[in-house]
Amino acid sequence: MIDREEAKALLGGPKQELPHNPQTPEEILVAMKAASANYYREAIATNCHTFIEFTGLINEYIKICERNLKKGVDFTQTSAHTDGPRLHVEQWECDHINDKLRCIFPNLRMVKLDDLKKLDDSEKTATDK
């Protein structure tokens, strides 16, 4: 097992500084990447593979946010708690996320992109009434 200082050296040095008070989606992405790198740096020192796998989920989310932002979707407004747009997630991304989740939670029931689309359609139908 490696200790925290060995992990820091292995992963490129000390903790990354996050931007102060990021406001724009682009600034928020920079902060998210720094936070992910910092999480990974600390997680690897735990020597717990499944805990480290959360970094993969975080990084997938960041990639999805980046791609959606390039298409004009403000990912900062895509929460289920807002009435904003929804993130577009490709099937291969959903599959990759499910692989990460299977590693972390082996007994977790996986969600397919088609199931999410059906749920979105049923929500639209319910709100149209």
Side-chain angles (χ1 to χ4, degrees), residues 12-66:
K15 187 175 179 178
Q16 291 186 22
E17 291 298 318
L18 275 66
H20 178 68
N21 197 25
Q23 297 293 313
T24 67
E26 293 80 8
E27 292 170 337
I28 292 169
L29 278 170
V30 170
M32 289 165 57
K33 288 177 183 179
S36 178
N38 290 339
Y39 174 82
Y40 183 68
R41 184 171 284 104
E42 297 294 324
I44 200 166
T46 69
N47 207 29
C48 178
H49 178 76
T50 51
F51 188 69
I52 297 164
E53 282 289 336
F54 278 101
T55 311
L57 288 175
I58 294 167
N59 289 334
E60 275 307 304
Y61 176 72
I62 292 170
K63 289 176 197 173
I64 291 167
C65 289
E66 284 179 309

Side-chain angles (χ1 to χ4, degrees), residues 114-128:
D114 289 340
D115 295 339
L116 292 176
K117 287 179 182 174
K118 288 176 190 172
L119 180 61
D120 280 347
D121 291 343
S122 68
E123 286 177 355
K124 287 176 190 171
T125 303
T127 58
D128 289 342

Side-chain angles (χ1 to χ4, degrees), residues 61-125:
Y61 176 72
I62 292 170
K63 289 176 197 173
I64 291 167
C65 289
E66 284 179 309
R67 188 174 43 73
N68 276 264
L69 186 59
K70 286 178 183 174
K71 293 181 177 184
V73 176
D74 182 353
F75 66 89
T76 67
Q77 303 299 312
T78 60
S79 167
H81 306 291
T82 68
D83 290 332
R86 297 288 182 239
L87 286 174
H88 176 76
V89 181
E90 297 289 342
Q91 182 62 54
W92 63 269
E93 291 168 321
C94 195
D95 292 342
H96 192 234
I97 290 167
N98 281 334
D99 285 342
K100 295 288 182 192
L101 287 171
R102 254 186 236 95
C103 178
I104 298 166
F105 303 106
N107 297 327
L108 186 69
R109 183 171 173 224
M110 298 297 128
V111 177
K112 295 179 182 174
L113 190 57
D114 289 340
D115 295 339
L116 292 176
K117 287 179 182 174
K118 288 176 190 172
L119 180 61
D120 280 347
D121 291 343
S122 68
E123 286 177 355
K124 287 176 190 171
T125 303

